[in-house]
Amino acid sequence: MEDPWADSSVGASQSSVSQADDAPPASNASAPSTLSAPSTSNRPSRLTPRRLVAQPTRLQSVEDDPLGPLGASAPTAGDGALPPVPPVKEQLPLRTTLAGSGGPSKRSGPPDPHRIDDDDAYDQPSGPRHPPPVQPAQPSPIRSTMQPSVSVEQASKPSFHITVGDPHKVGDLTSSHIVYSVRTKTTSKAYKQSDFEVKRRYRDFLWLYNTLHANNPGVVVPPPPEKQAVGRFESNFVESRRAALEKMLNKTAAHPTLQNDGDLKLFLESETFNIDVKHKERKEPNLGESKGMLSSFGINVGGTNKFVEQDDWFHDRRVYLDALENQLKALLKALESMVAQRKAMAEAAADFSASLHALSTVELSPTLSGPLDALSELQITIRDVYERQAQQDVLTFGIIIEEYIRLIGSVKQAFSQRQKAYYSWHTAEQDLQKRKATQDKLLRQGKSQQDRLNQVSAEVADAERKVHQARLLFDDMGRLMRSELDRFEKEKVEDFKSGVETFLEGAVEAQKELIEKWETFLMQLDAEDDETVFYRPPVIQTAGGENNRPVGNTAVDRARARIDEDSD
């Protein structure tokens, strides 16, 4: 017969053991009596493996029923014949139950109001249990080093680095000209090699500019420097032209449209450039007429009427470009005046140095002749600084001003191409109206002129096609010129900012050099031993009684020689 108190005693024992585990230390004294109370009942042994495996699933919640989930799955009375377990044996299932249920019971199941599962590692307040904290993902060092420094569009575009150098004069007296070495380094797959060099003269650069303008109407093509007939073989002019040609090619190759032009590839890569150009001109006889895309459509590009701009945006830009051109020309004139003044100061310093040197040669006292000669050498240094600074002003700031004056001319040429496209569009519309009038006249005559009517209908269709193409070309050219003028403004700001910074840095360095020279001279004047600091051997004691210093061909040397002759 089943024991009616078997399930109750087992459940009470389990409940009391669980409560005793979380009870405060003050109630530990009553724990033996609580555990020993059900020891007289006949219950199954807890030492069986089945009991140990099933124990962790029973310690979940005792919120409503004191027996908890143990009451629904109580053991049967058939096992009640075993003797009761001594109270001391209660510690084994208690430790096993806590050890086996410590991990899973903390993270699953309903909340425990009695906090049976709490321990030192998880001291949390009562209520819904939160997931354990997760460490934030650390950034990968590989990902940080692989971050792109440029956009995807810029990375996909080919890069060009073009240098123009080694200018040298070739030819006889009647056909002499300057030849430049054009070296290109590129990542473009359109070229046979990534690094190559060709020889070009000035008229080849001019051909490239005119050809690119004809091939790309509406695009602002970087222009070459202007042609000069007088003084074209002077070193300063050759250097300034070389720098301008180099900048022209780099800007052209950096343009997203011009860098894909076949004529640019021909200019940079062809070893037989003159032969290739002649062969190209024989195939395209209208290449030099600057008609380009308009002529390919069979559209007339001429216009006799005065063009009136209908778009306010283009009208404002045209007025702005006219004002900018006038301001840049005035700035260039002021810069040229300043450069001429620096050169005049350099010549004045040279004359002053020659006079001081002549005075030091006739002064017998070394305490005075030494400082005078040192001051003369200092004036030579000042002359060199002024000349170098004048050349730097031309090559850093003056070349940018001249470039943008030419660029404004290129922008105006793009405006004239848009004007020609407008004339072509309206000329095509007028031709279409005439052909439509002829068609209407033939339609009124009936079927007697059927052949003529078919021919005129074909001509009307062709005229409509030309009107449509001319209108699309005019609209596309307007959108292209808007983007080109925006690009012009951005590049203008960057170039002038860089040019002004270089101009100021050169001026600061020149002033620092002058200050350093003057301070050194003053320190020599303040030296204690004044007689030995500036001591120079008397020139009158040299062999032959003449100065053995080699005579040069500079202005200072000529002035010194002239003063020496006058003193003699």
Side-chain angles (χ1 to χ4, degrees):
M1 184 176 180
E2 296 182 358
D3 189 359
W5 299 98
D7 295 338
S8 300
S9 61
V10 172
S13 174
Q14 296 289 340
S15 175
S16 61
V17 169
S18 302
Q19 293 178 1
D21 183 70
D22 287 346
S27 61
N28 288 341
S30 60
S33 61
T34 305
L35 294 174
S36 61
S39 61
T40 58
S41 61
N42 296 328
R43 62 177 182 176
S45 175
R46 292 176 177 267
L47 298 178
T48 60
R50 183 179 65 83
R51 299 280 182 162
L52 294 177
V53 173
Q55 287 294 335
T57 61
R58 295 189 182 102
L59 293 178
Q60 294 182 359
S61 175
V62 292
E63 183 175 359
D64 298 327
D65 190 357
L67 298 179
L70 302 178
S73 60
T76 59
D79 298 334
L82 296 177
V85 182
V88 68
K89 296 296 183 180
E90 294 292 338
Q91 300 298 328
L92 180 61
L94 178 63
R95 289 194 299 269
T96 305
T97 300
L98 293 176
S101 61
S105 63
K106 290 294 179 181
R107 296 169 174 82
S108 63
D112 187 4
H114 296 278
R115 302 179 64 184
I116 297 177
D117 297 329
D118 289 350
D119 56 9
D120 296 338
Y122 297 91
D123 291 335
Q124 298 179 355
S126 61
R129 297 193 180 273
H130 301 281
V134 180
Q135 296 294 333
Q138 299 295 331
S140 175
I142 300 178
R143 183 179 301 174
S144 61
T145 56
M146 296 297 293
Q147 290 181 354
S149 58
V150 296
S151 63
V152 178
E153 295 180 357
Q154 293 177 350
S156 61
K157 293 180 181 179
S159 62
F160 289 86
H161 179 68
I162 305 174
T163 56
V164 178
D166 190 23
H168 57 277
K169 183 179 178 181
V170 296
D172 53 11
L173 183 62
T174 58
S175 63
S176 58
H177 58 275
I178 300 295
V179 174
Y180 303 90
S181 298
V182 180
R183 183 173 182 180
T184 306
K185 296 180 180 180
T186 180
T187 59
S188 176
K189 302 300 182 181
Y191 292 82
K192 299 178 182 179
Q193 299 177 355
S194 60
D195 190 352
F196 45 90
E197 182 177 342
V198 293
K199 301 292 184 180
R200 296 291 181 263
R201 56 184 298 183
Y202 173 77
R203 69 179 184 185
D204 299 334
F205 291 87
L206 193 60
W207 173 90
L208 176 65
Y209 171 73
N210 294 328
T211 306
L212 292 179
H213 248 305
N215 296 342
N216 305 274
V219 176
V220 179
V221 182
E226 295 180 356
K227 193 172 183 178
Q228 181 174 339
V230 180
R232 57 194 179 102
F233 297 118
E234 295 181 358
S235 59
N236 292 339
F237 173 76
V238 171
E239 174 60 24
S240 61
R241 171 176 279 190
R242 183 208 62 80
L245 293 175
E246 180 177 298
K247 199 163 188 178
M248 167 200 169
L249 289 182
N250 281 284
K251 280 199 170 186
T252 303
H255 196 282
T257 302
L258 300 178
Q259 66 179 198
N260 300 320
D261 196 286
D263 290 320
L264 176 63
K265 180 176 181 296
L266 176 67
F267 176 86
L268 294 177
E269 194 176 36
S270 177
E271 294 288 346
T272 58
F273 179 72
N274 294 329
I275 299 176
D276 294 338
V277 169
K278 291 180 180 179
H279 180 66
K280 185 179 179 64
E281 289 178 351
R282 282 195 298 267
K283 293 175 62 177
E284 302 176 7
N286 294 329
L287 181 64
E289 298 181 6
S290 300
K291 294 183 179 180
M293 193 179 300
L294 298 174
S295 298
S296 64
F297 292 146
I299 301 173
N300 182 20
V301 296
T304 57
N305 299 327
K306 183 178 181 181
F307 177 73
V308 178
E309 183 61 64
Q310 303 294 330
D311 195 328
D312 293 338
W313 190 88
F314 283 101
H315 179 267
D316 296 340
R317 290 300 182 276
R318 188 62 182 263
V319 174
Y320 161 73
L321 289 173
D322 292 337
L324 179 62
E325 184 179 16
N326 294 331
Q327 293 295 331
L328 290 179
K329 288 181 178 179
L331 179 60
L332 180 61
K333 185 177 180 180
L335 181 64
E336 291 175 350
S337 176
M338 186 180 66
V339 170
Q341 185 179 5
R342 293 189 191 279
K343 292 181 178 179
M345 292 177 64
E347 294 179 359
D351 295 339
F352 185 43
S353 173
S355 301
L356 290 173
H357 174 71
L359 181 61
S360 65
T361 56
V362 298
E363 180 61 41
L364 299 179
S365 174
T367 58
L368 182 58
S369 61
L372 289 177
D373 196 29
L375 184 59
S376 173
E377 297 294 335
L378 178 60
Q379 292 300 318
I380 295 297
T381 304
I382 294 175
R383 178 205 63 179
D384 297 338
V385 171
Y386 284 151
E387 291 180 348
R388 184 174 65 251
Q389 189 175 2
Q391 183 67 15
Q392 288 179 352
D393 292 345
V394 173
L395 295 178
T396 57
F397 198 36
I399 193 174
I400 295 178
I401 300 174
E402 293 178 350
E403 176 192 0
Y404 273 88
I405 291 176
R406 297 192 303 269
L407 268 175
I408 291 175
S410 182
V411 173
K412 289 183 177 180
Q413 189 169 350
F415 270 93
S416 65
Q417 289 178 329
R418 179 175 173 270
Q419 179 179 344
K420 291 179 180 180
Y422 178 82
Y423 285 139
S424 301
W425 171 32
H426 282 272
T427 302
E429 282 188 342
Q430 293 174 4
D431 183 67
L432 176 61
Q433 296 300 328
K434 292 180 181 179
R435 296 186 185 278
K436 281 186 176 181
T438 305
Q439 185 184 27
D440 294 340
K441 183 178 179 181
L442 292 175
L443 287 174
R444 288 193 299 267
Q445 293 179 0
K447 298 183 179 180
S448 60
Q449 301 289 338
Q450 187 63 37
D451 295 339
R452 176 62 178 166
L453 180 61
N454 294 335
Q455 181 182 357
V456 172
S457 298
E459 293 176 355
V460 169
D462 184 66
E464 289 178 348
R465 178 186 60 84
K466 290 183 178 181
V467 169
H468 180 66
Q469 290 178 346
R471 175 63 185 271
L472 290 179
L473 180 61
F474 179 76
D475 294 339
D476 293 342
M477 193 178 297
R479 287 190 292 268
L480 179 60
M481 286 189 62
R482 287 176 183 267
S483 63
E484 286 295 304
L485 289 176
D486 292 340
R487 179 184 180 91
F488 170 81
E489 289 296 325
K490 293 179 181 178
E491 291 183 352
K492 183 191 69 175
V493 172
E494 295 176 358
D495 291 342
F496 270 88
K497 182 180 179 181
S498 176
V500 170
E501 289 179 354
T502 307
F503 174 78
L504 295 178
E505 288 175 358
V508 170
E509 292 298 327
Q511 295 300 320
K512 285 183 178 180
E513 183 177 358
L514 292 178
I515 291 174
E516 181 181 358
K517 297 296 182 181
W518 281 111
E519 287 179 347
T520 304
F521 179 73
L522 291 176
M523 290 175 61
Q524 293 176 352
L525 287 180
D526 295 339
E528 295 181 358
D529 192 0
D530 295 336
E531 296 183 357
T532 59
V533 171
F534 296 107
Y535 177 74
R536 298 288 188 276
V539 295
I540 57 176
Q541 297 179 1
T542 58
E546 297 291 339
N547 189 4
N548 290 333
R549 179 181 298 179
V551 179
N553 196 24
T554 62
V556 178
D557 295 328
R558 292 194 299 268
R560 285 178 172 175
R562 185 173 61 254
I563 293 175
D564 291 339
E565 292 177 358
D566 295 340
S567 62
D568 293 339

